């Protein structure tokens, strides 16, 4: 069964931390897993990616050095550890799975069009 379920969102003060989790079904256990976010009135943006074939992690520039993604294959769960949060990090955070990604720079690999399956999202609000 294809299913991705996010958890861990909430309200946090600027400079604080949150850890999101994405539980995924067996069907996508071999897929690449990415995290996206969407703020009101803005386009969805990809922020992190963990590749299935080598476990390497990749980040969008706006979160590099502050966010860390990881995966526990035994639990079929991906995590997004978010530190030094800023008000502009607020939005709905979703995880997504892609069977195939092009061999291109991270920015292109994080285009939503490559992703086949999506979770419902979890709200993150960072107060100033």
């Amino acid at each position: 069964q294809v299913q991705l379920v996010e958890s861990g969102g909430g309200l946090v003060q600027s400079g604080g931390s949150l850890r999101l989790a994405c539980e995924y079904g067996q069907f996508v256990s071999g897929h690449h897993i990415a995290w996206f976010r969407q703020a009101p009135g803005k386009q969805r943006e990809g922020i992190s990616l963990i590749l299935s074939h080598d476990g390497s992690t990749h980040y969008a520039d706006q979160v590099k050095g502050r966010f860390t993604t990881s995966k526990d294959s035994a639990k079929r769960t991906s995590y997004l550890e978010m530190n030094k949060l800023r008000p502009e990090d607020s939005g709905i955070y979703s995880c997504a799975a892609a069977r195939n990604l092009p061999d291109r720079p991270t920015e292109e690999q994080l285009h939503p069009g490559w992703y086949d399956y999506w979770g419902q999202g979890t709200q993150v609000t960072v107060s100033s």
Side-chain angles (χ1 to χ4, degrees):
Q1 182 178 0
V2 180
Q3 187 177 21
L4 296 98
V5 181
E6 302 92 341
S7 61
L11 174 64
V12 64
Q13 287 189 331
S14 181
S17 299
L18 276 176
R19 188 175 82 153
L20 306 183
C22 169
E23 294 184 62
Y24 52 87
Q26 175 67 33
F27 184 80
V28 297
S29 61
H31 285 47
H32 310 294
I33 302 292
W35 284 91
F36 291 80
R37 68 185 182 190
Q38 187 167 21
K42 293 189 176 182
Q43 286 190 330
R44 177 182 283 166
E45 61 175 350
I47 56 173
S48 72
L49 169 63
I50 185 163
L51 296 178
S52 63
H53 57 272
D54 63 4
S56 61
T57 56
H58 307 271
Y59 302 91
D61 288 342
Q62 57 267 41
V63 305
K64 201 172 292 183
R66 300 188 297 124
F67 290 13
T68 303
T69 191
S70 61
K71 187 170 72 170
D72 185 330
S73 296
K75 295 182 179 180
R76 292 206 298 270
T77 301
S78 173
Y79 300 98
L80 183 67
E81 183 78 35
M82 305 185 295
N83 298 310
K84 300 179 182 178
L85 284 162
R86 306 165 181 166
E88 56 265 36
D89 292 319
S90 298
I92 297 175
Y93 283 67
S94 303
C95 58
R99 182 177 180 87
N100 296 299
L101 289 174
D103 186 17
R104 294 179 187 172
T106 299
E107 181 180 1
E108 295 184 50
Q109 291 182 324
L110 284 173
H111 188 283
W114 295 114
Y115 294 81
D116 309 296
Y117 307 104
W118 293 82
Q120 83 289 349
T122 185
Q123 178 71 47
V124 171
T125 303
V126 184
S127 62
S128 57

